Amino acid sequence: MKAIAFVYAGNINSYALASLRGGKSAFERSIERAGKFPETDAIVVLCSPDSRIEIPASPDYRLCVLSDGNTAASLFECMEKESGGYDHAWFAWADRPFYDPEGARKLFELHERSRAEYTFADGYPAGLMPEILARGIIPVLARMARDSALRVTRNFVFDTLKREINSFDIETVLSPVDLRQLRVDFSCDTAGNTLLCESFADITADTAPALVEERGDSLRTLPAYYQIQIAGGCPHECVYCPYPAWSSGGVSRSPGKKVTDRSDFMSLSDYSNLMGKISEFSREAVVSLSLWGECSGHPDIVEIARETLSHPGLSLVIETTGLGWNGSAIEGISKISASVRNAGEEPRINWIVSLDAAGSALYGSVHGVSDSAVADSNLRTAMDLVFSLETLFPGAVWPQMLRLRESEQEVETFYRFWKEKLGRVIIQKHDHFCGSITDRRVADLSPLVRHPCWHIKRDMCIMLDGTVPQCREDLHALRPLGNAFEEALPEIWKAGAEVYRQHRNRIYEGLCGACDEFYTYNF
């Protein structure tokens, strides 16, 4: 039996070519590990013609340049051309330094014993186990991929197979401990994941469960999701939201003013400085507008989008009621989005439009709009915005409904309507903010066994004045971590590490004890 190893480098960046812990780069290590996969006597590095990184030439491997960018079809065609005369083909990624040859041996034994056509591992952290294909199915996959627009993503092999999944013999090696819920990715593709690799340089498939438990603090690397409040005002006083009561209450830093009467905003200069600090610290992150309030009325909303996307590692989520937008602002943001998006790349701007109802009666009820004509008009305006945005930002618009006891009867109608129209929809659970407002949840969906909070692990919230609360639940900033305008983000982030350590030790103090948002996960 002869095998050839394909190592895909079309997506690598500078992290993969930099020295890892003072030694070889992730790219060098991935090539070295691929050469140790069972029965392998040749390595082909697959690269993209439009790659921003030059792949170094080496006698250890040969290069194959994809004919059509990073499409699955061109990749399979390259594999078909290069794999003639071989029985099996390994597939690995050039930015993953910790492929385990012993784990690959287990894959190979199962693959041969079962006469499988495709064998992969499941339950392990990403980056430890390669995939293996029988050479005979590669031409089949190439033909299937030609009929689709599938891009090369981490799951593209299985995504191609599953189009006719019953036609293939597939086998799986299961991890003895399922670690998928940790979303750990040992790839040198982002600053956060590279830090993770620095902390686990000796990991193998067999030692992964013990090491992840032992070094659990290292899983909290860098903030990946920043929720930022850029506006104080909001057109609604929603029954499910604590913000209106906090704003008008005159307590704990609140302005003592109704949200519907407020017109205060974060200045563009403060926001620009903040983006510079975020880009320098996290390098890659999602920035979400607005933590509280409606961002549509911000006088510099187009420049805010421009400033965010001027940093190559940052992307933007705009969460809105769908009200208050004008055509010129939408068009301006659309032009910015188009100017920074390369063909085939994921959009760098996503929209979430909080509709929360299928009909105007419920819309008025949950949004605190007593006039039925106004409620009907507002719902139509917000829905029209969804359709307009979908034209300008195809595939990047998400109608959202909050699932409440009051709205349960309309959830299915809402879901079916938008699933048919756009193909995507968000149904979100209600957040009772640690019991501080009425609990309107239809059901308790929290896991039976609690795990450390995703938000403490990967999010940072920044309020209008720069205050960084412990998390979004800490609306009153009772446990502030610092001020993002005045202090360094690394120090602020470090201030939240103790809470994460407490969670790892199953200690949930203060707000955390009454919170059920710990298992929800943002973009």
Side-chain angles (χ1 to χ4, degrees), residues 316-360:
L316 188 63
V317 171
I318 301 175
E319 188 162 359
T320 174
T321 62
L323 306 179
W325 291 94
N326 62 66
S328 60
I330 298 293
E331 184 178 353
I333 296 173
S334 172
K335 289 179 179 178
I336 295 166
S337 177
S339 69
V340 298
R341 183 178 180 182
N342 295 312
E345 288 188 349
E346 291 295 315
R348 289 182 60 196
I349 297 181
N350 280 278
W351 295 79
I352 299 175
V353 184
S354 299
L355 300 172
D356 297 319
S360 58

Side-chain angles (χ1 to χ4, degrees), residues 87-327:
D87 302 296
H88 306 287
W90 294 98
F91 185 82
W93 298 81
D95 55 5
R96 288 180 165 172
F98 302 147
Y99 282 116
D100 183 359
E102 178 60 24
R105 183 187 62 78
K106 294 178 182 178
L107 277 173
F108 190 76
E109 289 177 352
L110 176 62
H111 186 74
E112 276 208 306
R113 187 172 64 249
S114 304
R115 299 183 182 276
E117 293 174 302
Y118 171 64
T119 304
F120 68 105
D122 201 12
Y124 293 92
L128 299 184
M129 300 283 265
E131 302 161 87
I132 184 168
L133 303 88
R135 198 278 170 185
I137 71 164
I138 294 176
V140 178
L141 297 178
R143 288 194 295 273
M144 289 172 59
R146 288 187 203 111
D147 299 329
S148 72
L150 190 65
R151 309 293 298 181
V152 179
T153 64
R154 297 291 188 186
N155 300 314
F156 85 97
V157 176
F158 188 78
D159 286 343
T160 304
L161 282 161
K162 73 181 184 183
R163 299 179 68 201
E164 296 184 22
I165 197 164
N166 293 326
S167 301
F168 300 98
D169 293 320
I170 300 174
E171 286 291 346
T172 309
V173 171
L174 297 176
S175 169
V177 178
D178 191 349
L179 299 175
R180 287 174 299 178
Q181 77 280 3
L182 296 177
R183 293 182 168 94
V184 175
D185 189 344
F186 291 113
S187 304
C188 289
D189 58 348
T190 66
N193 280 343
T194 302
L195 281 176
L196 194 67
C197 289
E198 294 276 358
S199 300
F200 288 87
D202 55 342
I203 197 166
T204 67
D206 285 342
T207 63
L211 287 181
V212 166
E213 176 61 29
E214 176 188 322
R215 304 175 192 174
D217 287 358
S218 298
L219 300 182
R220 186 180 188 264
T221 55
L222 296 171
Y225 189 79
Y226 290 83
Q227 289 183 285
I228 301 177
Q229 180 185 18
I230 64 168
C234 187
H236 292 146
E237 294 181 292
C238 302
V239 298
Y240 55 75
C241 179
Y243 183 61
W246 174 83
S247 178
S248 61
V251 295
S252 183
R253 299 174 45 264
S254 73
K257 202 171 186 180
K258 292 184 65 174
V259 293
T260 51
D261 295 333
R262 290 177 62 175
S263 58
D264 47 333
F265 304 101
M266 181 182 290
S267 71
L268 179 59
S269 61
D270 280 342
Y271 185 86
S272 297
N273 290 335
L274 194 55
M275 289 303 103
K277 295 173 79 170
I278 289 173
S279 178
E280 182 180 3
F281 180 40
S282 288
R283 300 288 294 274
E284 298 85 20
V286 176
V287 175
S288 175
L289 309 176
S290 173
L291 171 62
W292 302 108
E294 170 55 61
C295 60
S296 62
H298 196 293
D300 298 308
I301 187 62
V302 176
E303 291 307 310
I304 279 176
R306 190 189 314 279
E307 175 61 34
T308 308
L309 299 191
S310 71
H311 300 277
L314 303 184
S315 60
L316 188 63
V317 171
I318 301 175
E319 188 162 359
T320 174
T321 62
L323 306 179
W325 291 94
N326 62 66

